[in-house]
Amino acid sequence: MLAVDPLVLGVPLKYVSLLVLTVQNSMLVLVMRYSRVTSDTPFYASTAVLMSELTKFTICLFITAKTSATEHKRLSVRHICNDILGGDSWKILIPAGLYTIQNNLQYTAVTLLDAATFQVTYQLKILTTALCAVMMLGTRLSTQQWLSLVALTLGVILVQIPADRSNTAGSMLSATDPSQLLGLMSVFVACVLSGLAGVYFEKVLKGSRKSIWVRNAQLALFSIVPALFGVLIVDGPDIRQNGFFYGYTAWTWGAIACQAMGGLIVSVVVKYADNILKGFATSISIIVSCVASVWIFGFHISPLFLAGAALVIYATYIYGRSEHKRKSAAEVLPVTSDNSEQHGQPVVAIGRQSQDDEGIPMVSIHGDAKYTELKLQ
């Protein structure tokens, strides 16, 4: 029989996860921005990043422990520790450090930029991730993907151009105050770090047999150390004077929850959905963020911003569609059936590569009323 996608209340899990991802992407920027501008006593961003990683680690540890108990018929602390701390877990130290810096820069950027500009500009992470994949993994991009990256860059540039350029003397930067420049620099550096960390993490996953939840637990655990280092070094004196949770509100906890859930939701999307739907979710979240920014923060959408945002949305969708086609073509494999022969001829089926719950590549074979799966060792 054919494999069936898991259902949630009768709806395929991939669509549920994409809906949640769209809401999370939209809410993360809006809640982070709102939590930074509505309080007279702003919280320390380094503490929020640390709390986010602690939350993420707790969730991943629970799922890992539940999975381990199912596999070994009992809950074993030794097995859990071996899964998380054993083997090549040290490889996660690099992306953990990069992601921690990136998360801190997100708070800096969303404090200095309006939510809509941040959301659109942050899509540059698609460009940085693609360039890192080409340089580090030898990934070959299609012409359509390169063109979509150019369109993405042009769209982001259009978003940065002020609506009123009468006092700019032809210069975009002269109308931009230092705080906005710092915000844009924070976004750009965060995008570069996101690309480096994402590609490195993908490289580790490709050579791993550990589940994505174990890897997420490792990532969160090893992110706690640099996050704690940031708390002590960046805000240490102020925290000792005012307290760790100084300036915290319900919106602060909302931002922490959104940031913690983001990586976990993406893991589910990567497993059960594809890049087309993921790109579609990203595009919808950009629209939602822009519209909500007008209503909540009084943001003015200029024609240039609208054109740039539309270009970014289009480029995001086209890049995801091209990536889906490239992977689909690479994953279709000719596989010989286990049946030795039928009428003197070998039985050949078409296989599509995927991964099991342990991250081990598999080939789903469909042919001659048969369905089976092979683990590719």
Side-chain angles (χ1 to χ4, degrees), residues 304-358:
L304 283 174
F305 184 95
L306 187 61
L311 201 54
V312 168
I313 292 172
Y314 178 75
T316 301
Y317 173 76
I318 293 299
Y319 185 87
R321 187 178 68 175
S322 301
E323 181 73 4
H324 173 75
K325 289 181 179 179
R326 183 180 65 83
K327 288 187 175 183
S328 296
E331 288 173 351
V332 176
L333 307 172
V335 183
T336 303
S337 170
D338 290 336
N339 288 349
S340 57
E341 289 187 353
Q342 286 188 358
H343 306 294
Q345 297 294 331
V347 178
V348 177
I350 297 298
R352 185 173 297 277
Q353 188 173 340
S354 59
Q355 290 186 341
D356 68 355
D357 291 336
E358 298 178 352

Side-chain angles (χ1 to χ4, degrees), residues 69-178:
T70 302
E71 291 178 353
H72 301 288
K73 308 302 181 184
R74 63 186 180 88
L75 182 62
S76 172
V77 176
R78 181 174 62 86
H79 285 140
I80 297 174
C81 291
N82 286 338
D83 284 340
I84 297 178
L85 300 176
D88 59 352
S89 59
W90 59 271
K91 294 181 179 179
I92 307 298
L93 288 170
I94 295 177
L98 295 177
Y99 277 133
T100 303
I101 300 174
Q102 172 201 335
N103 290 336
N104 278 279
L105 288 173
Q106 280 184 329
Y107 275 103
T108 301
V110 82
T111 302
L112 301 174
L113 300 175
D114 57 83
T117 301
F118 172 83
Q119 180 76 306
V120 175
T121 308
Y122 195 56
Q123 301 314 309
L124 276 177
K125 64 185 178 180
I126 298 175
L127 172 64
T128 58
T129 301
L131 294 178
C132 289
V134 170
M135 292 184 291
M136 297 173 59
L137 300 179
T139 303
R140 303 179 68 176
L141 303 180
S142 66
T143 302
Q144 191 176 42
Q145 285 178 306
W146 282 115
L147 291 176
S148 66
L149 292 176
V150 172
L152 174 71
T153 305
L154 292 176
V156 171
I157 292 175
L158 286 177
V159 167
Q160 310 311 322
I161 299 178
D164 182 9
R165 293 175 293 172
S166 58
N167 298 323
T168 62
S171 173
M172 179 179 69
L173 295 180
S174 62
T176 307
D177 58 58

Side-chain angles (χ1 to χ4, degrees), residues 14 17-18 25 48 50 96 112 120 170 176 183 188 190 203 205 211 225 229 246 260 277 302:
K14 65 179 180 180
S17 61
L18 284 167
N25 276 345
L50 177 60
L112 301 174
V120 175
T176 307
F188 179 74
K203 190 173 183 179
L205 289 177
S211 72
V225 177
F229 183 78
Y246 176 78
L277 296 176
S302 67

Side-chain angles (χ1 to χ4, degrees), residues 217-238:
Q218 293 174 335
L219 194 61
L221 176 62
F222 295 144
S223 294
I224 291 175
V225 177
L228 183 59
F229 183 78
V231 168
L232 297 176
I233 299 300
V234 178
D235 298 314
D238 293 330

Side-chain angles (χ1 to χ4, degrees), residues 56-68 75 80 217:
K56 190 185 303 181
F57 176 69
T58 302
I59 295 173
C60 292
L61 182 62
F62 173 78
I63 297 176
T64 300
K66 185 178 179 180
T67 303
S68 178
L75 182 62
I80 297 174

